[in-house]
Amino acid sequence: MTDTTLTDRPPRLDVEALERMYSLMLGTALADQRAAAESKAGRLMAAFYPVRGMEAVCAALGETMRTGDKMVSTYRNLGDALAKRMPLRSIIAELYGKAEGCSRGRGGPMHLQDQDVNFTATTGIVGSGMQIAAGLGMAEQLSGDGNAVVVTFGDGATSIGAFHEGMGFVALWKLPVVIVCQNNQWGEHTSIKEYTAAPELAQRAASYGMRAEKVDGFDPMACVAALETALARARAGEGPTFLEFEHYRLTGHTGTADFSYVPKDELAAAMERDPAPTFRKWLLANGHLSEGQIAEVETRVRAELEDAFQFAQNGTDPVQADIYEGVFENDEFARSVDGA
Amino acid sequence: MTDTTLTDRPPRLDVEALERMYSLMLGTALADQRAAAESKAGRLMAAFYPVRGMEAVCAALGETMRTGDKMVSTYRNLGDALAKRMPLRSIIAELYGKAEGCSRGRGGPMHLQDQDVNFTATTGIVGSGMQIAAGLGMAEQLSGDGNAVVVTFGDGATSIGAFHEGMGFVALWKLPVVIVCQNNQWGEHTSIKEYTAAPELAQRAASYGMRAEKVDGFDPMACVAALETALARARAGEGPTFLEFEHYRLTGHTGTADFSYVPKDELAAAMERDPAPTFRKWLLANGHLSEGQIAEVETRVRAELEDAFQFAQNGTDPVQADIYEGVFENDEFARSVDGA
Amino acid sequence: MPETTVQSMTIAQAINSGYHCAMEADDKIVLLGEDVAEPIGGVFKTTKDLSTKFGTDRVRATPIAEGAIAGSAVGLALGGYRAVAEVMFFDFTTHVMDQILNHAAKFRYMTGGATPTPVLVTTVVGSSHFGAQHAQSVESWFMHTPGINVCFPSTPADAKGLLMTCLESPDPSLLIQHSGLLYSIKEEVPVGPHRVPLGKAKTVRTGDDVTIVSYGPAVRIAMAAAESLAQDGIEADVIDLRSLVPLDFPAVFESVERTGRCVITHEATQFAGPGAEIAARITEDLFSELQGPVLRVGGLFTPQPFAKTLNRHPTSERVVAKVKQLF
Amino acid sequence: MPETTVQSMTIAQAINSGYHCAMEADDKIVLLGEDVAEPIGGVFKTTKDLSTKFGTDRVRATPIAEGAIAGSAVGLALGGYRAVAEVMFFDFTTHVMDQILNHAAKFRYMTGGATPTPVLVTTVVGSSHFGAQHAQSVESWFMHTPGINVCFPSTPADAKGLLMTCLESPDPSLLIQHSGLLYSIKEEVPVGPHRVPLGKAKTVRTGDDVTIVSYGPAVRIAMAAAESLAQDGIEADVIDLRSLVPLDFPAVFESVERTGRCVITHEATQFAGPGAEIAARITEDLFSELQGPVLRVGGLFTPQPFAKTLNRHPTSERVVAKVKQLF
Ligand SMILES: Cc1ncc(C[n+]2csc(CCOP(=O)(O)OP(=O)(O)O)c2C)c(N)n1
Ligand SMILES: Cc1ncc(C[n+]2csc(CCOP(=O)(O)OP(=O)(O)O)c2C)c(N)n1
Ligand SMILES: [Mg+2]
Ligand SMILES: [Mg+2]
């Protein structure tokens, strides 16, 4: 994890693509910061899970997934949502529990989704997304539409039974699922070294009878390459791939959490590869983008973020009269039970 | 699975040991038959899960476990219970739901146990024993008594999350657990070839970071050898071992179930290695036991079985007045809730 | 096939017939469960012939992993399909609680309506041959979590009708079958599509003296009690709820308003069970109409004992005794 | 330390103190859960310093696998130890249902008394910051399965006292903590061992006009309602149940016999919730003493919405309104 040389750009990624990738990396990092600041200021009550450290993987997902591909994510989902091209406004409004949010303020940041772009589901329960992805994989296989399903989750999720059961289903029926394990070395406050005797997650995944690969999750172009292959296989009906993206969590578990327990040397080494600034340097050094172009991107990202937070803070609060909406398609029974 | 040559006897197994092993194999096979006959005759209402096919492993467990070793088993538990030297009477009485049964008729055959011999627990829920064994392993590790924990379950149980979670715990803390997977190639009516893309269970187990081995489960002496090593390691604090015993289910899933779906050729090949008769032949061929000695064993086993069924059928039925006994240590609340 | 063609069926056959009709009409229906495919067609024979007719892509015999069965059903629903997640015994639904109650039941609400998740969980309860881990009737766990329909039919026609309705419902559902009823009763059931609305109770006996509310296997107990009470001149209205969510409170209220007396009976444990809600609710709405408290006859506060001589379930004698307390 | 030495503590501190006392006295106690060890000492700080003092063999930070946490606790109990299985949020107990309700709660019964399985499951509920999957109060699931104690303390002293009692109970227990109460209230709590008996309710306010029954976070709602009612001349008895299994029906009956009126309030969903059982039971036993139906104010029939402007929980206004219906 000390090698900071990034893999070369694949020819198909043009300047616009690289700009999008940098925007996504920078956008998530800035949104993390902003949300943390808003939380500390008491203006934001949501628990918020920063993406910092895994931005390269998210940016690569953004360039390799198609709109038709379905995605299942977790509570740590901002990068995934942006990779799926969800509008930032609807994301941040959901963070504030506003009616303009993607889930109309009912779900909160742990339950972002956007059916228009097939950001299909997010779950706050560690590991459960893997089982849901198996079902989505069956749906894709049955429909024969040639789309893939992408499921993301952390290293810690590999301990829970739901992960294992989902792996079994996906492998057995060769479902078109790309399994993205974001190995940031930590599950909340516990290091991977402490919670498993078998930290080689890709190896364990291979033993289920599926293709598995370990990828440098700090290297955007390596991530693009691995995802491209896996997605192509899935779409071609060649079955699932497990990708372990190795990187490091560069923040606390939540936006406001203390993380002094993270070993200083490990963190410092990982910080050297902090995705957005590292990618920025690489874009410049390799002549892909000029200082001016970078500045333009940065200005735009900041403006979009500012706009989204403004939009959210000016949003509408859901009203109590609507509290029964969506328990069932028809609210009648729910209301009648409470005499409402 | 076509090689019928059995491994040589290890020197430490004397004639008495070989007799015990044959008794156990024969006893379970005969008990299976008898219980099935009683069920068909309508005298026995219990669901009963025959051991036939895995007797060699059970017999080997009987010779390698010590009384202090704890065991966790399943619904398919008669061979395990006998390996732990549970009295046959208390087993069969439980089958009939009699007060003389090991669980006083409250549990039934799915819940045999005998704390005197550390036949600690049985579960009717596939896979759950693995998690319980992890806890028992912690208890042994904490107490430092130098005993091992043995957990048994079927091949099908490797699909469920509980199995995986338990494996993770046992591997992580190097618990003194011997994990006995009875691979009889079937989970109810579904063949292992149909329910997993990775039928090499020992390989998958190894990927958790523990010692794992595949053993010919039709070969009693190979079973003894594998178990001896694994138990010694556990007792010495060297950690867990996963043993996949490969054999074949020679009956239906339950004592009365149809199993015409089992491929005739596979079944016929496996029948060639039917544990009790094969062991009988081997004992004679190798001069370990004479025809007379064998006949004596057989007479004794039949008599014991007859005695146990008689004992059970003459047993006492639990009475309704005692129905609240054991919900809690103190029955008072349970009774008061029902106004009893 | 017109709805008028009927055939004598057991509940197991009616359920099977319901699957055939529904899967023919809707090629988005997928069945997942242990041993659901041929040659077995389900350990209770309710999924017989389905894999032969609809293929093993739509009728999948799964690994032993109830969580993934349920989770896959959720994923299929989100992907535009409609999956049945078969859980062999009710006790094993402990393994589907996360996917069904944390996910399926909440997905529509948590996404502001964007992701309805219509899955159907089916399961079986009722035998004591297997002991305490294959016998608990835990419908109240599912009732207590808003967002999922809960049905427990007591007859073949209702079983088919509720199954088909659940398979068309926009919401997740749980359909419980009772092993004691699966093969023991036969009645004429429409061969073609047949639907029973959710939340509509059925009055299976009429009387003006007392209301006995019940569902599933306890309906037979309620009927036996009613017959016995009739000998003593007490005429009971017997109501088969058929679904617990939604629950037909209007029908229950109508009857209790008339009779002024009510006893509820079910096999589920009485303490914190479905009858508690029904009793509390009747009392809230009809207090001044009541001649006495609403009484309950549920499962005793014990696990399922194995011995046949120990009975924790309602009997008609227990129901009769409770009714008589009200006179 | 004599029980008379007291110190001002929050619930989080009191729980922590309870662990310290219990683990000092009984070296068979083992704690299992995610992040329970130092340097974090539990995400809610309730297990602070324990791993430092008692070692990581007895205080194990586990992998993320609630089923194995619970199953290990069961195994430890069968092996002569007493384990605490910490489940970070109540909703995640969906993953311990099999081990706790199919195994721990039934093992004593299923083995004719041979294998009592005294484990303690602890969990936290109460925040809406996380949305619908981190907010459901499902104590009624556990009440409904015979064989497990269920406690929900509302004060620091009760939290410590119930914890220590559960850690000495011969039966499995569930102890629920509320995140809204963990740090917000302080009271004097014995520094040394302190025990509160199971099944003994506490009358936290006396009055002869109406009984308000409550537990956990709703006790504060009940008290606020009582204060408001007093302004209108209605004096309420307020009962904090503290444990739901066993449930102190005698204390409740004594009060309702006196007041003739009762309202029950809790955060758990009202439908098929704990209040249904309590209401049904009061009505069964005290029908002729009642001036009106026993009424309930529980959680609305919805998942937990994320927006702060949507409130599904009881408020003192809702309780007051219900009480006034009885006059
Ligand atoms: C079943 C379950 N158990 C516990 C939690 C609490 N929890 C939330 S995130 C988390 C850590 C997950 O670690 P990992 O999978 O590595 O993902 P990361 O947070 O590092 O992205 C835990 C334990 C949960 N949400 N679900
Ligand atoms: C969680 C759970 N799911 C389903 C069942 C029903 N069931 C009982 S035995 C069995 C097959 C188990 O197969 P395997 O583990 O190979 O053991 P075997 O019966 O072959 O010995 C099934 C599915 C169960 N008891 N528990
Ligand atoms: Mg992680
Ligand atoms: Mg098997």
Side-chain angles (χ1 to χ4, degrees), chain A residues 12-14 22 27 65 83 95 127 151 176 198 208-209 225 229 232 237 247 278 289 310-311 327 334:
Chain A
R12 81 155 191 75
L13 288 189
D14 56 19
Y22 181 56
M65 283 187 298
L95 201 61
V151 55
Y208 286 91
T229 310
H247 43 62
T278 307
L289 295 182
Q310 281 302 332
F311 174 79
V327 182

Side-chain angles (χ1 to χ4, degrees), chain A residues 189 249-264 267 271, chain D residues 40:
Chain A
H189 308 88
R249 198 183 69 202
L250 301 177
T251 64
H253 174 65
T254 65
T256 50
D258 164 70
F259 57 116
S260 55
Y261 54 88
V262 172
K264 302 269 167 302
L267 186 60
M271 270 296 184
Chain D
I40 297 312

Side-chain angles (χ1 to χ4, degrees), chain C residues 36-239:
Chain C
V36 295
E38 291 304 310
I40 297 310
V43 299
F44 296 104
K45 306 288 175 202
T46 49
T47 55
K48 217 160 130 5
D49 295 333
L50 294 171
S51 69
T52 310
K53 189 147 152 206
F54 302 105
T56 51
D57 272 359
R58 289 182 64 197
V59 181
R60 293 190 196 226
T62 65
I64 305 170
E66 284 77 9
I69 293 171
S72 297
V74 169
L76 277 157
L78 295 174
Y81 285 76
R82 160 152 342 231
V84 180
E86 190 178 289
V87 178
M88 209 182 276
F89 283 95
F90 210 167
D91 311 65
F92 310 164
T93 61
T94 47
H95 282 313
V96 310
M97 303 290 277
D98 173 58
Q99 284 293 351
I100 301 305
L101 299 184
N102 285 337
H103 293 84
K106 296 187 169 72
F107 258 139
R108 180 195 287 272
Y109 195 85
M110 294 195 297
T111 61
T115 54
T117 311
V119 300
L120 171 60
V121 178
T122 64
T123 195
V124 171
V125 69
S127 177
S128 67
H129 299 3
F130 301 97
Q133 292 183 327
H134 288 61
Q136 211 187 333
S137 205
V138 290
E139 52 271 24
S140 76
W141 292 352
F142 291 82
M143 292 168 70
H144 186 52
T145 294
I148 179 167
N149 299 315
V150 178
C151 307
F152 202 154
S154 73
T155 70
D158 284 351
K160 177 168 180 175
L162 288 169
L163 176 78
M164 290 199 69
T165 304
C166 287
L167 285 172
E168 290 168 355
S169 165
D171 300 301
S173 307
L174 169 70
L175 180 85
I176 307 154
Q177 295 150 47
H178 192 273
S179 58
L181 303 179
L182 273 177
Y183 320 107
S184 61
I185 0 166
K186 277 201 158 196
E187 75 175 343
E188 304 273 273
V189 177
V191 172
H194 172 59
R195 292 169 191 88
V196 167
L198 298 175
K200 289 277 167 254
K202 187 166 72 178
T203 300
V204 289
R205 186 183 191 285
T206 54
D208 285 332
D209 302 325
V210 63
T211 305
I212 308 181
V213 177
S214 186
Y215 61 88
V219 173
R220 294 208 290 185
I221 301 295
M223 286 298 283
E227 295 313 321
S228 158
L229 288 163
Q231 316 256 314
D232 294 331
I234 299 174
E235 292 298 338
D237 243 24
V238 178
I239 295 182

